[in-house]
Amino acid sequence: MELKRIEKKRKASYDGNLRRAMFPIYYLGKLCGVVPVRFYVHASEGCQARLNIIDLVYSLCVLILLLGAEIWGLWRDLKDGWEHSTRLKSRTAVIATCSDVLGVMSLTVVCIVGSPFRWKSLQLVINKLIEVDKKIGVSSTKKARRFTICLTICSLVYLWFNSSLDFYSWSRKAKNQTFADKGPINYAPLYVMYTVIISAEIQYSVATYNIGQRLVRLNSSLKSMLDTNNTNNSNNDDAIGYFRKFSETANDIGGKKGWNITPKRQLVLGSYRLSRKMDESKTYVNSISELIMVHSLLCDTVSLINTAFGVVLLAVTISCLLHLIITPYFLIVQANEKHEWIFLVVQAGWCIIHISRMLIIVQPSYSTVAEGKRTATLVSQLLSCCFEADVRRELEIFSLQLLHRPLEFSACGLFSLDRNLITSVRILDYSYEKQMHLSNT
């Protein structure tokens, strides 16, 4: 009975630690409608996320409200012709603004409509992370929670600060308009949609970060194993040298004085060394076997993350590519106007937001993949050490698993999420902007 209670307490602690690490984005996602689930704690099954009808209806209501408000606002802005609208002062501006609005609306639909399907995979991710914590220990809850809180607060504060500046700048420009139904209020739902989008991106970032932290712990275990082996080898070399010197001295003394030194103590010492070596070998085999299982679980979580967020990541990448083309266009247009410095600041701020959105999804993925590569390096270093045949066999199995199951985050399998993606997007944007500039001249 006591053992069962201890196991239940441990399981509850693992569930609680993971939930505490993820709670800020959980409540933000509930507010934005991208988390239509509720967590239930069971004594046997642990923490389970289940779809809730009320939350699902709330998510759909949020989506319908945002889409309806933006469509109505766009109609109000265009009903008297694009010449009298707030933002659409030219045909090119009409195309750019409509593309911007449609891109944000489409991404919001993907984030909210896909949320019930994502959480089926995310529940499996949570269960596997809890299982990993049971094997290698709980990761730093405070660090993960601090990362979640800082990322959420910094993203939202900067987004709403720039949105407020954007709203103010367009309000100041629309003061002299004769129509009362014009103004930036028609585009206000876009700011809320950006909040929904960023909350979904932070979900991915937090999930990826937690996987990376487990890989860090796995690599720490491998590193400590490598350091222990190196220390033992150096101690064994010192001991062998000492006993060799002692044996030579004893032989010299025995030869001189005619003593008959029997090898009984050496036999006892040798058997002790052999049994100790066998125990260490068995410990290494068990430890490496556990780490192989941990790495396999983490590979499963990466596959589940790719399945859950594949469409979202693809839509986010296309959206960022689109906005990094449109926003510099507005920046260049406003730069040609006089006394419009605030528009330059706002458009530069939007460029930073879209680049930051790319970094939110790319940087945790890159760090996690880098830790996976470090795992392969540590395993190869362990293979070069002097281990018994059983230990080497486990390390070879681990090496084969690393070869056949590399960690890779991708958007629907079309491209990998790493830092090369940012440079590729920027080069594509630069080429398109240069082409637009040449066509205008």
Side-chain angles (χ1 to χ4, degrees), residues 127-369:
N127 292 339
K128 289 184 181 295
L129 290 180
I130 291 172
E131 191 172 350
V132 168
D133 289 342
K134 292 177 185 177
K135 292 182 179 296
I136 60 174
V138 181
S139 299
S140 177
T141 307
K142 291 183 179 179
K143 186 177 179 181
R145 185 168 54 185
R146 196 181 303 121
F147 170 81
T148 306
I149 292 173
C150 290
L151 181 62
T152 304
I153 291 176
C154 292
S155 301
L156 294 182
V157 167
Y158 184 75
L159 171 67
W160 282 99
F161 173 74
N162 198 72
S163 299
S164 301
L165 281 180
D166 187 70
F167 189 88
Y168 168 74
S169 62
W170 286 109
S171 297
R172 196 179 68 169
K173 194 172 182 179
K175 280 183 179 179
N176 299 325
Q177 288 189 349
T178 56
F179 297 95
D181 56 354
K182 310 299 180 184
I185 191 66
N186 294 324
Y187 298 93
L190 289 177
Y191 306 137
V192 184
M193 289 184 189
Y194 272 117
T195 305
V196 174
I197 292 167
I198 287 180
S199 67
E201 292 172 355
I202 294 175
Q203 276 186 10
Y204 170 82
S205 181
V206 170
T208 309
Y209 175 81
N210 278 278
I211 295 173
Q213 290 302 301
R214 271 71 181 177
L215 277 171
V216 169
R217 290 189 62 82
L218 186 147
N219 290 337
S220 299
S221 301
L222 290 172
K223 187 69 169 62
S224 63
M225 192 181 299
L226 181 63
D227 294 339
T228 303
N229 180 72
N230 292 334
T231 304
N232 289 339
N233 286 338
S234 62
N235 291 337
N236 288 337
D237 292 340
D238 294 340
I240 289 170
Y242 172 77
F243 282 115
R244 185 179 296 162
K245 185 177 180 181
F246 176 79
S247 177
E248 290 174 355
T249 306
N251 289 333
D252 292 340
I253 295 173
K256 289 179 181 178
K257 296 188 177 181
W259 292 349
N260 186 15
I261 300 177
T262 60
K264 186 181 291 185
R265 292 187 64 186
Q266 294 180 1
L267 183 63
V268 172
L269 182 61
S271 62
Y272 170 73
R273 278 191 207 157
L274 182 61
S275 62
R276 184 178 176 184
K277 199 170 185 180
M278 290 177 65
D279 291 338
E280 289 180 355
S281 177
K282 191 174 182 181
T283 303
Y284 276 127
V285 169
N286 294 333
S287 300
I288 295 170
S289 179
E290 287 289 323
L291 294 180
I292 291 173
M293 181 60 67
V294 167
H295 184 267
S296 178
L297 289 171
L298 292 175
C299 290
D300 292 339
T301 58
V302 171
S303 299
L304 290 168
I305 289 290
N306 290 334
T307 302
F309 288 95
V311 178
V312 175
L313 295 174
L314 181 61
V316 166
T317 306
I318 295 173
S319 172
C320 289
L321 176 63
L322 180 66
H323 285 99
L324 287 174
I325 293 172
I326 294 172
T327 307
Y329 164 77
F330 281 111
L331 185 61
I332 294 170
V333 169
Q334 297 299 330
N336 294 327
E337 298 182 8
K338 296 181 179 180
H339 308 295
E340 296 294 341
W341 60 269
I342 192 169
F343 282 95
L344 298 178
V345 174
V346 169
Q347 296 305 322
W350 282 116
C351 288
I352 294 173
I353 285 176
H354 298 311
I355 294 172
S356 301
R357 286 176 54 208
M358 288 291 294
L359 288 174
I360 285 175
I361 63 173
V362 166
Q363 184 56 37
S365 305
Y366 173 81
S367 301
T368 303
V369 172

Side-chain angles (χ1 to χ4, degrees), residues 2-47:
E2 289 295 328
L3 288 175
K4 288 183 179 179
R5 287 178 185 174
I6 292 172
E7 288 296 325
K8 287 180 180 179
K9 286 182 180 179
R10 285 179 180 175
K11 194 167 188 178
S13 66
Y14 294 133
D15 295 348
N17 287 327
L18 193 58
R19 278 187 288 126
R20 281 194 295 272
M22 301 175 69
F23 87 94
I25 189 59
Y26 170 75
Y27 291 112
L28 176 64
K30 294 282 283 186
L31 181 64
C32 295
V34 294
V35 185
V37 297
R38 293 187 182 180
F39 284 99
Y40 299 91
V41 180
H42 298 277
S44 59
E45 299 178 358
C47 183

Side-chain angles (χ1 to χ4, degrees), residues 76-101:
R76 289 181 66 197
D77 201 39
L78 291 174
K79 68 177 183 177
D80 298 312
W82 56 266
E83 297 87 354
H84 303 286
S85 66
T86 305
R87 298 190 180 190
L88 314 178
K89 297 298 184 182
S90 64
R91 293 182 182 273
T92 308
V94 171
I95 296 173
T97 303
C98 290
S99 301
D100 183 11
V101 172

